[in-house]
């Protein structure tokens, strides 16, 4: 049977492989401008704090790529189409461009690119896709790029399960579910995205609202808030989770659940910003605070990705 092979470029933020690689990684994030020694030390300290300088994002990305490959293989068993996944990282090797070059070397002429982040912003998913398309054009590969998959019913279901499981844990602590405030969050971006009519805030709000609807939460039981804003002179979208938490604590809310729906893996922005910083703040304010599990390589999430890839492949 004649085989049609479609390359799948799976893109993720990327994380250093060792403590020595933090500096080039951070320099790349800063578009080539090396961090000041104190900025570098601060980032090193954060990585040390999460799990003694291990970099969990790499393992999760590797597993997600393998899981997506397995989900796609299952769908194409017995057909004349096959998908082959390649990894491309934003800030560290193998870079997005390396993934596209590897496809070209394997003779691939048509491909789909997808980012391991469900919500579209021109500054996040848009910039991954732009780099992928530019390299694909150079290599003579026809490429379709998935923009977002933030309202896929199975994604909403996987998050609903995670929030629900923690609401039960609060109940076990003696808190009625109605007393728990669910704080959906995502990485902040500079406020200038609002002038570009960027869909990022609306997509994040839509995912949060869909999960809340599935759970039957009233409007007062949840809210969306930002996290992990950069320390730059430009203003970033807020309120930050630290302000939200402090404000709610002042209003007497004693139970808060963090659901970082803008991310898909356990990594620095979850394990440091939420599990260390936000947890410490909650303790100091006498708030009972928990966080949902992340998606990582959950089979439901792998099927969401596979649906998005197959959907875009049909446009090739
Ligand atoms: O675990 C890890 O090693 C990596 C964790 C990590 C993820 C991540 C995701 C996103 N970021 C987004 C936007 C920005 C913007 C800047 C920025 C800076 C950093 C720094 C680190 C870092 N980010 Fe990140 N991000 C992760 C890690 N990020 C480290 C540098 C130090 C710091 O500011 O904390 C600011 C760049 C600049 O200076 O101009 C903007 C967005 C996402 C979610 C979507 C995605 O995954 O691509 C948006 C994971």
């Amino acid at each position: 049977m004649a085989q049609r092979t479609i390359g799948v470029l799976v893109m993720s933020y990327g994380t250093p492989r060792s403590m020595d690689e933090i500096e080039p990684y951070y320099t790349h994030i800063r578009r080539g401008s090396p961090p000041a020694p104190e900025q570098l030390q601060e980032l090193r300290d954060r990585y040390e704090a999460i799990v003694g300088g291990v970099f969990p994002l790499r393992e999760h990305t590797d597993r997600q790529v393998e899981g997506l490959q397995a989900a796609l293989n299952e769908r194409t068993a017995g057909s004349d189409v096959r998908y082959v996944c390649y990894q491309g990282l934003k800030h560290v090797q193998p870079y997005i461009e390396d993934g596209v070059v590897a496809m070209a070397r394997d003779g691939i002429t048509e491909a789909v690119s997808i980012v391991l982040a469900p919500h579209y912003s021109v500054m996040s998913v848009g910039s991954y896709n732009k780099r992928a398309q530019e390299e694909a054009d150079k290599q003579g590969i026809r490429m379709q790029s998935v923009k977002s998959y933030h309202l896929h019913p199975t994604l909403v279901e996987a998050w609903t399960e995670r929030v629900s499981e923690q609401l039960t844990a609060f109940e076990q602590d003696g808190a009625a579910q109605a007393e728990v405030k669910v704080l959906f969050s995502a990485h902040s971006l500079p406020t200038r995205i609002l002038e570009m009519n960027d869909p990022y805030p609306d997509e994040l709000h839509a995912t949060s609202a869909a999960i809340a609807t599935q759970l039957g939460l009233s409007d007062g039981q949840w809210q969306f808030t930002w996290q992990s804003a950069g320390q730059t002179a430009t203003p970033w979208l807020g309120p930050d989770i630290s302000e939200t938490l402090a404000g709610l604590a002042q209003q007497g809310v004693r139970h808060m659940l963090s659901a970082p729906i803008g991310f898909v893996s356990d990594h620095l922005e979850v394990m440091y910003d939420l599990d260390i910083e936000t947890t410490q703040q909650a303790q100091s304010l006498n708030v009972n605070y928990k966080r949902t599990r992340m998606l990582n390589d959950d089979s439901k999430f792998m099927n969401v990705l596979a649906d998005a890839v197959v959907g875009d492949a049909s446009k090739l």
Side-chain angles (χ1 to χ4, degrees):
M1 197 188 301
Q3 277 240 325
R4 176 183 176 204
T5 303
I6 300 176
V8 181
L9 181 68
V10 190
M11 297 181 284
S12 170
Y13 205 79
T15 188
R17 273 166 297 204
S18 66
M19 293 303 277
D20 289 341
E21 216 177 57
I22 295 176
E23 186 168 7
Y25 171 71
Y26 199 175
T27 304
H28 193 274
I29 290 176
R30 293 164 49 86
R31 293 171 296 278
S33 153
E38 54 283 9
Q39 289 174 307
L40 180 61
Q41 191 53 48
E42 197 263 338
L43 184 55
R44 289 179 66 90
D45 291 346
R46 280 195 275 149
Y47 278 113
E48 289 276 7
I50 56 172
V51 251
V54 179
F55 302 88
L57 181 58
R58 188 164 292 269
E59 188 189 329
H60 293 303
T61 301
D62 287 349
R63 288 215 187 137
Q64 285 160 338
V65 177
E66 281 165 27
L68 173 58
Q69 181 69 66
L72 288 167
N73 290 349
E74 238 175 71
R75 284 165 197 233
T76 52
S79 93
D80 62 349
V81 178
R82 83 183 174 121
Y83 291 93
V84 183
C85 292
Y86 294 80
Q87 201 175 125
L89 306 177
K90 194 174 190 187
H91 294 301
V92 73
Q93 287 172 337
Y95 289 110
I96 292 169
E97 293 76 9
D98 298 332
V100 180
V101 168
M103 281 184 187
R105 250 192 245 123
D106 291 348
I108 290 202
T109 55
E110 48 179 354
V112 173
S113 74
I114 186 163
V115 183
L116 295 171
H119 305 86
Y120 183 88
S121 164
V122 70
M123 281 186 73
S124 62
V125 171
S127 75
Y128 289 83
N129 283 343
K130 184 166 177 281
R131 281 173 56 187
Q133 286 286 350
E134 281 170 2
E135 191 58 41
D137 288 347
K138 274 194 218 160
Q139 301 296 333
I141 295 177
R142 203 147 41 87
M143 183 179 273
Q144 275 290 329
S145 295
V146 174
K147 278 187 86 176
S148 54
Y149 44 89
H150 64 293
L151 279 181
H152 190 297
T154 312
L155 182 83
V156 173
E157 190 185 317
W159 274 110
T160 301
E161 279 170 12
R162 282 162 172 74
V163 174
S164 171
E165 154 189 307
Q166 290 307 317
L167 290 175
T168 303
F170 274 101
E171 258 180 356
Q172 284 159 358
D173 291 351
Q177 292 202 0
E179 290 178 278
V180 181
K181 187 84 161 187
V182 181
L183 302 179
F184 296 106
S185 66
H187 203 294
S188 179
L189 282 174
T191 54
R192 65 173 180 277
I193 64 156
L194 301 177
E195 292 147 32
M196 309 173 201
N197 269 337
D198 196 86
Y200 188 61
D202 285 348
E203 290 194 358
L204 287 158
H205 197 270
T207 306
S208 311
I211 300 165
T213 301
Q214 287 300 311
L215 289 160
L217 299 181
S218 67
D219 286 351
Q221 281 175 274
W222 67 275
Q223 79 185 64
F224 178 80
T225 189
W226 298 99
Q227 65 164 97
S228 312
Q231 309 301 317
T232 61
T234 51
W236 289 65
L237 295 169
D240 185 76
I241 191 162
S242 58
E243 294 164 57
T244 303
L245 193 138
L248 289 169
Q250 212 171 20
Q251 291 163 31
V253 179
R254 297 268 66 90
H255 307 279
M256 298 187 212
L257 170 61
S258 157
I261 49 140
F263 299 117
V264 298
S265 302
D266 281 299
H267 52 53
L268 189 71
E269 314 296 79
V270 171
M271 299 169 79
Y272 188 84
D273 297 4
L274 297 176
D275 293 356
I276 297 183
E277 267 186 355
T278 309
T279 301
Q280 281 169 357
Q281 185 193 7
Q283 279 164 355
S284 74
L285 293 168
N286 205 19
V287 165
N288 179 12
Y289 167 84
K290 300 184 195 294
R291 168 177 74 78
T292 58
R293 283 184 300 125
M294 298 305 288
L295 298 171
N296 294 325
D297 61 350
D298 182 299
S299 61
K300 285 198 169 118
F301 179 45
M302 297 303 103
N303 276 311
V304 170
L305 297 175
D307 282 349
V309 167
V310 172
D312 261 47
S314 68
K315 300 178 204 155
L316 279 166

